């Protein structure tokens, strides 16, 4: 597999923690320890700086684009214990439309719900709590906060809005399901299920790594009869969690290719390729074969790393 790598000079003056393309892949948002967020227009190998977003009082850990049906909306979370929601009020002019400041420690991770569920953001914090912020119209938001992981929450990710295989059932319209996955400093991965976004969800503990969870990612489901979640850890492992009619099962990636902390996991749009980034400056791409085994199909490495 051949790969093209484009380099962007963001002009951040400190470490970059996250970079996210919007729904159409035309805009890139980045965030940094310099407490700023930058937005670029990208096209092939070229990029144009469009805006700087400032207001956080510490490192910005993550950013997340909402679905475009809600307009150009971006969320950010920071070490300053706050979550900001930004909206483009006019071309390249961004306004902070909501601020949530009810966590007691760093907010480490955020994730928007699928657009079928509505404009709802889940947030995970080092104070061991998760918050869910849901837009109710006229810029009114409801806030739900509940205890999730001892020692802190490190990662959250919403799941697909429909049950596995339900889109293929001609006898009944698919019913919405509201679930997300979280990972914490207690080494556990949990799946949370809502009946109502205004009421605390129920949780199921999938299992554990041997050290802190660094990221979780729920794969898109395009009609497959199963759900798939990836989790990665400080212990240098990646686990694939699969739900079918018999419940959840787990399988570690086959090869012990990770020699250091695994920081992030991310699925392709189709949900069949997993990208894994680790502290050895490598990004590896993984795909499941016909026997159900996950194989590394490509390795991308920073050639400038020493």
């Amino acid at each position: 597999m051949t790969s093209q790598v484009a380099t962007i000079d963001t002009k951040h003056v400190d470490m970059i923690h996250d970079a996210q393309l919007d729904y159409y892949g035309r805009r890139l948002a980045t965030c940094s320890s310099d407490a700023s967020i930058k937005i670029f227009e990208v096209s092939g190998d070229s990029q144009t700086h469009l805006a700087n977003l400032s207001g956080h009082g510490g490192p910005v850990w993550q950013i997340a684009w909402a679905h475009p049906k809600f307009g150009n909306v971006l969320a950010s979370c920071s070490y300053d214990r706050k979550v900001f929601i930004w909206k483009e009020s006019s071309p390249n002019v961004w306004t902070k439309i909501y601020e949530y400041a009810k966590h007691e420690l760093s907010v480490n991770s955020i994730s928007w719900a699928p657009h079928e569920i509505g404009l709802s953001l889940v947030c995970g914090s080092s104070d061991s709590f998760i918050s869910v912020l849901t837009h109710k119209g006229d810029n009114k938001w409801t806030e739900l906060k509940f205890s999730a992981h001892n020692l802190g929450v490190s990662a959250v990710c919403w799941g697909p809005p429909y049950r596995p295989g339900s889109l293929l059932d001609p006898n009944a319209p698919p019913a919405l399901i509201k679930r997300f996955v979280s990972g914490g400093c207690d080494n556990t991965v949990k799946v949370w299920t809502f009946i109502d976004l205004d009421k605390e969800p129920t949780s199921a503990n999938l299992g554990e790594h041997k050290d802190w969870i660094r990221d979780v990612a729920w794969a898109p489901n395009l009609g497959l009869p199963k759900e798939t979640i990836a989790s990665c850890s400080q212990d240098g492992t990646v686990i694939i969690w699969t739900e079918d009619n018999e419940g959840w099962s787990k399988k570690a990636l086959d090869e012990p290719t990770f020699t250091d902390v695994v920081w992030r996991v991310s699925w392709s749009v189709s949900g069949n390729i997993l990208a894994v980034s680790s502290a050895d400056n490598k990004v590896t791409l993984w795909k499941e074969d016909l026997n159900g085994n996950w194989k590394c199909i490509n390795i991308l490495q920073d050639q400038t790393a020493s």
Side-chain angles (χ1 to χ4, degrees):
M1 177 182 289
T2 60
S3 303
Q4 292 183 339
V5 178
T7 301
I8 297 176
D9 183 3
T10 64
K11 304 298 184 182
H12 281 293
V13 296
D14 209 331
M15 183 180 296
I16 297 171
H17 296 291
D18 198 13
Q20 296 290 336
L21 288 167
D22 70 359
Y23 180 85
Y24 299 108
R26 297 173 184 169
R27 286 185 173 183
L28 174 72
T30 62
C31 62
S32 166
S33 279
D34 64 12
S36 75
I37 299 163
K38 296 179 183 290
I39 297 176
F40 302 85
E41 183 179 30
V42 293
S43 178
D45 293 333
S46 65
Q47 58 277 332
T48 304
H49 178 248
L50 300 178
N52 287 326
L53 280 58
S54 60
H56 280 294
V60 184
W61 301 129
Q62 274 193 11
I63 43 184
W65 293 94
H67 191 276
K69 72 175 287 185
F70 304 110
N72 292 326
V73 176
L74 184 73
S76 58
C77 64
S78 170
Y79 180 78
D80 66 6
R81 304 174 293 178
K82 297 178 181 179
V83 176
F84 291 169
I85 297 176
W86 312 81
K87 187 169 185 177
E88 189 177 28
S89 53
S90 60
N92 301 328
V93 177
W94 290 78
T95 303
K96 184 175 64 175
I97 61 171
Y98 191 72
E99 177 178 328
Y100 181 72
K102 295 183 180 178
H103 283 290
E104 297 179 1
L105 294 172
S106 171
V107 182
N108 302 316
S109 184
I110 49 177
S111 176
W112 289 106
H115 69 89
E116 295 89 344
I117 293 173
L119 191 60
S120 185
L121 184 75
V122 61
C123 320
S125 170
S126 293
D127 63 7
S128 83
F129 284 83
I130 284 175
S131 294
V132 180
L133 313 176
T134 303
H135 186 248
K136 295 297 186 180
D138 297 326
N139 205 31
K140 295 180 180 178
W141 297 75
T142 60
E143 303 169 351
L144 176 66
K145 183 179 176 183
F146 50 91
S147 180
H149 292 270
N150 294 330
L151 305 178
V153 184
S154 51
V156 291
C157 182
W158 274 95
Y162 301 111
R163 285 284 185 185
S166 62
L167 296 176
L168 303 179
D169 185 356
N171 299 318
L176 284 176
I177 182 170
K178 304 165 186 173
R179 296 195 295 179
F180 70 89
V181 60
S182 66
C185 300
D186 56 2
N187 308 345
T188 64
V189 176
K190 296 181 180 181
V191 168
W192 304 82
T193 303
F194 288 97
I195 296 176
D196 187 323
L197 290 177
D198 296 327
K199 298 180 180 179
E200 185 171 331
T202 58
S203 67
N205 192 336
L206 298 191
E208 297 184 359
H209 283 264
K210 296 179 180 178
D211 209 331
W212 289 10
I213 309 299
R214 286 302 181 182
D215 198 17
V216 291
W218 202 314
N221 190 313
L222 302 181
L224 295 175
K226 65 180 182 180
E227 295 281 18
T228 306
I229 292 171
S231 62
C232 63
S233 170
Q234 186 80 19
D235 65 12
T237 63
V238 176
I239 293 178
I240 306 296
W241 311 85
T242 304
E243 182 190 39
D244 54 23
N245 293 333
E246 299 180 358
W248 289 95
S249 60
K250 71 174 185 178
K251 178 180 291 187
L253 292 188
D254 291 336
E255 303 171 35
T257 58
F258 308 111
T259 59
D260 210 329
V261 179
V262 184
W263 291 111
R264 299 293 292 271
V265 283
S266 180
W267 293 98
S268 62
V269 174
S270 58
N272 65 334
I273 295 178
L274 177 68
V276 179
S277 62
S278 49
D280 56 4
N281 294 310
K282 293 180 182 178
V283 175
T284 52
L285 303 182
W286 298 77
K287 189 173 183 179
E288 187 178 20
D289 65 19
L290 296 178
N291 296 318
N293 297 314
W294 289 83
K295 301 296 184 183
C296 181
I297 59 173
N298 201 4
I299 300 176
L300 307 175
Q301 187 166 9
D302 183 0
Q303 300 298 324
T304 64
S306 56

